[in-house]
Amino acid sequence: MRRNAIPALIGLATMVAVLVHPWDAPLDEGECWAFVRAQGFGHLVAPGRRELPVVVPTQFVVETPDAASAPEVVLHLARPNPVWSALEENPTVLLSVAGDWAYVPSAWKAIGDEDAALGIPTTYYAAVQLVGEAVVIDDDDALLEILRRQLASYEPETAHADPDVHRRRLPGIRGLRLRVREMNGKFKYGGNVDAAHRQAVAERLAERDGPGDRAARAHLLRRLDVEGGG
């Protein structure tokens, strides 16, 4: 797939800059959304009109209102959260999602008769940044739907009461819907080296099998397969 064949939603000129080499660019918009959905956790950044932004670590879910609509992010936060005053100043926010990272030692970058001592270590990871307008939700029924959506996403096989049983506690939270207008993705999984070197790293990730290694290896092999090197 051509690296520049990416929907207009990704990497618009007004997007907050993040370094993305051509070989780390998303294959398409779907790769970004799949990663965001799978992570389900990120940092909501509300710049407001202040010296420093409000940064809120939070869970979220991605939903598509209908077949003709772009995906949106929904979540809820406590009413005392300082993010609400920042949103009153400026409704534009950034949701930063990063994960599936793994450290790649220098020796792993060498194959065949290459000198392992001369390998250059790196870190594999994926990151997606979403920019859009944050719509605050205070309606009780709409809040309950957000809670139901989150429960269905995080506890699909668990028997739990409908959130309506906690209706009296709804004044303690507010909902938020992020209408995404810009997206920037980065999938740093060795795309700057040939297939043989990436396959070697994949084998070593499987052998080590530490935190993050399986996810990083899956990204590496998936992207390698799309490029025809798997």
Side-chain angles (χ1 to χ4, degrees), residues 14-25:
T14 56
M15 180 71 186
V16 176
V18 60
L19 175 62
V20 182
H21 292 296
W23 50 84
D24 296 331

Side-chain angles (χ1 to χ4, degrees), residues 31-46:
E31 183 178 31
C32 291
W33 279 118
F35 172 73
V36 171
R37 288 179 187 273
Q39 293 298 308
F41 191 92
H43 289 84
L44 181 69
V45 183

Side-chain angles (χ1 to χ4, degrees), residues 137-215:
I137 298 171
D138 284 320
D139 176 75
D140 283 0
D141 289 336
L143 280 172
L144 288 171
E145 284 305 309
I146 290 177
L147 297 177
R148 292 185 184 110
R149 179 69 181 84
Q150 289 185 295
L151 282 170
S153 177
Y154 289 105
E155 301 186 42
E157 300 178 358
T158 302
H160 49 70
D162 186 87
D164 189 53
V165 302
H166 302 297
R167 182 179 284 266
R168 65 181 181 82
R169 303 182 67 175
L170 291 180
I173 65 172
R174 305 181 81 184
L176 189 150
R177 180 177 296 275
L178 175 57
R179 294 174 176 165
V180 179
R181 66 170 185 259
E182 301 175 36
M183 173 188 285
N184 201 359
K186 180 174 184 176
F187 292 80
K188 185 174 179 288
Y189 293 104
N192 59 321
V193 300
D194 59 33
H197 282 84
R198 279 183 278 177
Q199 289 284 4
V201 172
E203 293 174 4
R204 287 157 175 162
L205 286 169
E207 293 171 359
R208 187 173 68 183
D209 198 22
D213 287 348
R214 293 188 186 186

Side-chain angles (χ1 to χ4, degrees), residues 125-141:
Y125 67 89
V128 174
Q129 295 179 347
L130 307 174
V131 173
E133 178 186 3
V135 179
V136 179
I137 298 171
D138 284 320
D139 176 75
D140 283 0
D141 289 336

Side-chain angles (χ1 to χ4, degrees), residues 21-108:
H21 292 296
W23 50 84
D24 296 331
L27 300 172
D28 54 29
E29 184 180 319
E31 183 178 31
C32 291
W33 279 118
F35 172 73
V36 171
R37 288 179 187 273
Q39 293 298 308
F41 191 92
H43 289 84
L44 181 69
V45 183
R49 304 291 182 193
R50 52 192 69 195
E51 183 178 6
L52 292 175
V54 176
V55 181
V56 184
T58 181
Q59 288 182 317
F60 59 82
V61 293
V62 177
E63 64 177 25
T64 304
D66 56 66
S69 301
E72 297 180 344
V73 175
V74 295
L75 56 99
H76 75 278
L77 298 168
R79 187 170 289 272
N81 198 298
V83 74
W84 307 117
S85 59
L87 293 179
E88 289 178 359
E89 298 167 6
N90 177 10
T92 298
V93 298
L94 180 147
L95 180 64
S96 177
V97 183
D100 294 348
W101 72 272
Y103 178 72
V104 178
S106 54
W108 290 15

